[in-house]
Amino acid sequence: MKDLFAAINERSSIRGYADEPLSAEQNTALVEFGLKAPTARNEQELHFTIIDGKGALAEEIGKELNPANPLGYLYGAPTFILISGKDDFSWTSVDAGIAVENIHLGAIGLGLGSVIIGCIEHIVNGARKEYYREALGIPEGYSFRVAIAAGRPVASKAQHTYSYDSQVTDLM
């Protein structure tokens, strides 16, 4: 298990996974990392859907995204977790972002890799929203916010670069 500081400092988006499913315990742990994230006013308004990253539902979403490579957006990840939140709570998107980062860092702690995915928002919340809401078990009055794909990494990627001086205004 990686130390939290190491996980943050080594964090990157993984875009290549082993062809092996995660265990039920690993999937549960990932979702629990998200459930343990703080939410505004402790509203706990998020809903998590776990699906097979190589299954029919993931492929159906992907066909609308890229018919030539319907599962390409998941980079071969065996687990795909979608986070939805209440439509009538103004902090839901922020809370979903916090939860997905908890999952991302928790995956590193478990020796897994992950990549955060938002590119399907216009599909899951689009013209067929009611179909996807039902197919994904998203409660009434909730909408998709963000997702994460996870698995055993077979690829690596350098951490992104940043410029403290140009990206931070320090008024201390």
Side-chain angles (χ1 to χ4, degrees), residues 35 44-50 82-88 92 124-125 129-145:
L35 289 166
Q44 301 299 314
E45 81 288 4
L46 301 176
H47 182 270
F48 298 80
T49 302
I50 309 167
L82 296 90
I83 303 173
S84 302
K86 285 184 182 177
D87 292 330
D88 62 357
T92 293
V124 178
N125 290 341
K129 180 178 180 175
E130 286 307 308
Y131 166 78
Y132 282 119
R133 189 185 63 71
E134 186 174 318
L136 294 167
I138 298 171
E140 186 73 40
Y142 282 60
S143 294
F144 169 81
R145 302 302 170 148

Side-chain angles (χ1 to χ4, degrees), residues 103-118:
I103 295 169
H104 187 62
L105 292 173
I108 294 168
L110 294 174
L112 302 173
S114 63
V115 61
I116 297 170
I117 297 173

Side-chain angles (χ1 to χ4, degrees), residues 61 65 73 75 116-124 144 146-147:
I61 293 167
L65 187 65
Y73 73 108
Y75 306 99
I116 297 170
I117 297 173
C119 65
I120 63 168
E121 190 274 336
H122 67 284
I123 295 166
V124 178
F144 169 81
V146 69

Side-chain angles (χ1 to χ4, degrees), residues 52-73:
D52 179 351
K54 297 180 180 191
L57 194 50
E59 185 172 5
E60 184 175 351
I61 293 167
K63 281 182 182 174
E64 292 190 51
L65 187 65
N66 181 356
N69 187 13
L71 290 175
Y73 73 108

